[in-house]
Amino acid sequence: MVNDQNPTAPRPASHRATEAGAGVVPDFAPAPHGGQRRVAVVGTGHRAGMYVGAITGEHADVATLVAWLDPNPGRIDYYDALVGGEAGAADLPRYAPDELEQMVAEQHVDVVVVTAPDHTHADLVARALAAGADVVVEKPLTTTVEGCRRITGAVAETGRDLTMTFNYRYAPRNSSLREVIRSGAIGEVTSVHFEWALDTVHGADYFRRWHRDKQSSGGLLVHKSSHHFDLVNWWLDDVPARVYASGALRFYGDKNADERGLGDRPARGTGATGDPFALDLNDDPRLKALYLDSEQHDGYIRDQDVFGPGITIEDNMALVVDYRGGAMLTYSLNAHSPWEGYRVTVNGTAGRAELSVVERGAIVLSPEGRPVLDPSANPGAYGTSVLRPEGDHLLVQRHWEAATEYPIPAGIGGHGGGDAILLKDVFRGHLRISDDPLGRPAGYLDGVRAVAVGIAANRSLLTGQPVTIADLDLGVEL
């Protein structure tokens, strides 16, 4: 089963790896006989695929899938048939969102995996905890101050476990930077600069789907950047204190299209020709089944025009974040870059560390005018440049010394080699032989710390003023 969470995201070489480098994968005890936890999946869009594949595949000895919850029966049909395989539909029990408590009780659910749209997380997570289940939730934890309060209140009242799936922590390139910082090689951190570039396939995709509505996603500063803010919080082992933000919609949307003279455009990508920004759902069997064939049930259009009306999120964003320990972060996100990757610079009292990552070096077009998602697979056919090869490098340079390259071990799975390792912790964390020295597993407090930066940034965008995170009253001391 395909485990990619986003069909438009780059597929780095680590995605094809089958063996991780030394020390990357934790040690786990053998699964006890009959020790499967009963798992329900809440939200059966594309993102659910990674978890469904894990439960029915590598981790079937510790987890069993017992129920679906989604308002769209077509999407449930897709996964139920996938799980059933050649034998036919699995016919797992299915529930509507208002039946979550009933599902937990009737199916004796131990763990609820929440992969529903962001704005629904707080309600679903809090109700699942109150119903007596542990929760695994996709980032972001939630999108609002009120959502944070509801979740933190439910955790305090129930004592149940909540796992955040911050898979970027598990990417070896990111955990290697944490090793460097924790070693003291660059001294005490004074500042971090973090630049993330989303290309015109992956970045554009956020402007086709429900993420384009800030009420649903919190914008990229919450939906996407919570990954990045969590990394900085984790790298520094510190808590964000104050945020000042600037941002705007400068590339996508109908106003920008008009100003650039793009002319009339179809409202959706399916059926469109000669437009590299159009997504034709017929080209991907999974997307076709989950969305095009299922839109009759709820009217959700997955392939909206990125230059159409109704987009309320930003595509260019910049932040300054002050940390309690004294370090500061400068952060930028661009969602219309010609290449995809990120650069992180960490300055310290004894030196500097620099992490450079190219996830996709270019988006080139086929003779039919369609984006080639993996031009590196056949570079001669598309004339891709050797000037921006895919890969990652971590340089460490102490004062008065030459730079050295810090070795990055191989990972397994998507998201820089982190997905498969994350899933081991999600489903086998209770079988760990020893604690993770890097502290990669994330809980609800990590989720709050990450979205706190995005929520504060959104408030700063509205007011034009810096926002002190303690003033947000998120329901818990960070």
Side-chain angles (χ1 to χ4, degrees), residues 2 35 37 78 121 126 146 270 287 314 330 339 366 373 383 402 416 445 451 467:
V2 177
R37 303 189 78 192
Y78 172 81
H121 285 188
E146 294 75 20
T270 298
L287 293 183
E314 300 80 20
T330 53
W339 67 279
S366 71
L373 296 187
L445 190 55
V451 298
V467 173

Side-chain angles (χ1 to χ4, degrees), residues 443-463:
Y444 83 98
L445 190 55
D446 299 299
V448 176
R449 289 170 177 158
V451 298
V453 180
I455 291 171
N458 279 332
R459 184 168 294 187
S460 179
L461 290 178
L462 289 174
T463 64

Side-chain angles (χ1 to χ4, degrees), residues 180 354-356 391-397 402-408:
V180 168
E354 299 173 356
L355 175 62
S356 300
D392 43 39
H393 299 279
L394 176 55
L395 299 183
V396 179
Q397 186 166 9
T404 60
E405 183 159 6
Y406 192 88
I408 299 174

Side-chain angles (χ1 to χ4, degrees), residues 185-202:
I186 61 171
E188 180 181 348
V189 174
T190 59
S191 64
V192 179
H193 178 66
F194 195 155
E195 175 193 10
W196 199 288
L198 290 166
D199 63 34
T200 47
V201 169
H202 186 192

Side-chain angles (χ1 to χ4, degrees), residues 67-69 73-74 76-77 80 91-96 99:
W68 311 109
L69 187 148
I76 292 179
D77 288 343
D80 200 69
D91 289 329
L92 294 179
R94 54 182 67 194
Y95 295 84
E99 298 172 322

Side-chain angles (χ1 to χ4, degrees), residues 64 142 184 212 312 343 358 372 391 430:
T64 183
T142 183
R212 72 201 321 248
T312 57
R343 298 184 176 116
V358 176
V372 178
H430 61 295

